[in-house]
Amino acid sequence: DAKTTQPNSMESNEEEPVHLPCNHSTISGTDYIHWYRQLPSQGPEYVIHGLTSNVNNRMASLAIAEDRKSSTLILHRATLRDAAVYYCILRDSNYQLIWGAGTKLIIKP
Amino acid sequence: DGGITQSPKYLFRKEGQNVTLSCEQNLNHDAMYWYRQDPGQGLRLIYYSQIVNDFQKGDIAEGYSVSREKKESFPLTVTSAQKNPTAFYLCASSGLGTADEQFFGPGTRLTVL
């Protein structure tokens, strides 16, 4: 199964952009890249997903490298409510999400 | 409102007892999932189901059982065979496409006394 690698934690200042990196060097051609985030003691929440092209939605942007071996989640203007654990996940042809340990994002006021 | 409900939110169990966690969804999703999460860790897949009356083992199915008699419901039983059942349990549902996002319930925190 393809795996993802993320930094354990990152810090950012409030109202500044945040770039969360993810490596997935063994990704297959049909794997989608999904991002979820999780607040303490809550279920994960979907953020964004993509296959090859960069994607934007109301929550974030997803930049995917041309070789698809890495991607970056971009929060354009972080707020304190964005403090969470962010998971970069691959969804394979068996419809399963393969979860890693995620990146804990700390937002400083 | 559409969504996923899990009950109870907190559950305490004595060693040697079976316990069943409830998961219901009204999103008309075909696929449902059960995950286990330990402190500071990511999610690990216990079981998943893509259609009524059918389900597949995930990475850590030993000591757990499920049923899918209705599209809306996917209960998880934690049996006495599960050696370390204290954890946070999350239920999710989704469509069947590889691009489909998973929607999660609020979770059940199980503690074995």
Side-chain angles (χ1 to χ4, degrees), chain A residues 66-107:
Chain A
E66 196 169 333
D67 62 6
R68 298 207 331 125
K69 293 185 176 182
S70 66
S71 60
T72 302
L73 179 71
I74 302 164
L75 306 179
H76 295 287
R77 193 164 169 268
T79 70
L80 295 177
R81 290 181 298 176
D82 292 321
V85 177
Y86 286 78
Y87 295 96
C88 167
I89 301 153
L90 303 181
R91 187 160 191 189
D92 65 13
S93 56
N94 291 323
Y95 312 114
Q96 297 181 41
L97 297 177
I98 304 164
W99 296 76
T103 296
K104 182 176 182 178
L105 177 62
I106 299 165
I107 305 296

Side-chain angles (χ1 to χ4, degrees), chain A:
Chain A
D1 291 335
K3 296 286 188 281
T4 62
T5 304
Q6 300 176 254
N8 289 335
S9 65
M10 291 184 63
E11 287 189 2
S12 180
N13 294 319
E14 195 176 10
E15 299 186 6
E16 290 186 356
V18 179
H19 291 236
L20 296 166
C22 181
N23 288 321
H24 28 78
S25 58
T26 58
I27 191 171
S28 74
T30 56
D31 287 346
Y32 274 79
I33 303 159
H34 288 246
W35 284 81
Y36 286 73
R37 70 181 185 183
Q38 186 179 24
L39 296 170
S41 298
Q42 294 188 24
E45 173 190 32
Y46 167 81
V47 177
I48 200 168
H49 76 271
L51 183 63
T52 56
S53 304
N54 294 344
V55 184
N56 300 296
N57 66 20
R58 62 175 180 81
M59 290 181 69
S61 296
L62 177 60
I64 301 173
E66 196 169 333
D67 62 6
R68 298 207 331 125
K69 293 185 176 182
S70 66
S71 60
T72 302
L73 179 71
I74 302 164
L75 306 179
H76 295 287
R77 193 164 169 268
T79 70
L80 295 177
R81 290 181 298 176
D82 292 321
V85 177
Y86 286 78
Y87 295 96
C88 167
I89 301 153
L90 303 181
R91 187 160 191 189
D92 65 13
S93 56
N94 291 323
Y95 312 114
Q96 297 181 41
L97 297 177
I98 304 164
W99 296 76
T103 296
K104 182 176 182 178
L105 177 62
I106 299 165
I107 305 296
K108 296 182 288 185

Side-chain angles (χ1 to χ4, degrees), chain B residues 29-50:
Chain B
H29 285 160
D30 288 301
M32 295 188 74
Y33 311 80
W34 273 105
Y35 293 94
R36 170 183 171 137
Q37 188 174 34
D38 293 291
Q41 306 296 315
L43 279 65
R44 291 186 290 169
L45 183 65
I46 304 173
Y47 270 97
Y48 67 101
S49 168
Q50 295 177 17

Side-chain angles (χ1 to χ4, degrees), chain B residues 36-99:
Chain B
R36 170 183 171 137
Q37 188 174 34
D38 293 291
Q41 306 296 315
L43 279 65
R44 291 186 290 169
L45 183 65
I46 304 173
Y47 270 97
Y48 67 101
S49 168
Q50 295 177 17
I51 194 170
V52 173
N53 292 324
D54 187 50
F55 44 83
Q56 307 296 326
K57 292 182 179 180
D59 299 325
I60 55 165
E62 185 176 351
Y64 300 97
S65 66
V66 293
S67 63
R68 186 89 186 274
E69 297 177 2
K70 298 186 301 181
K71 187 175 183 177
E72 302 79 18
S73 179
F74 192 41
L76 172 74
T77 297
V78 184
T79 75
S80 56
Q82 169 51 235
K83 295 194 182 340
N84 185 19
T86 295
F88 188 45
Y89 290 88
L90 288 156
C91 179
S93 71
S94 75
L96 292 179
T98 51

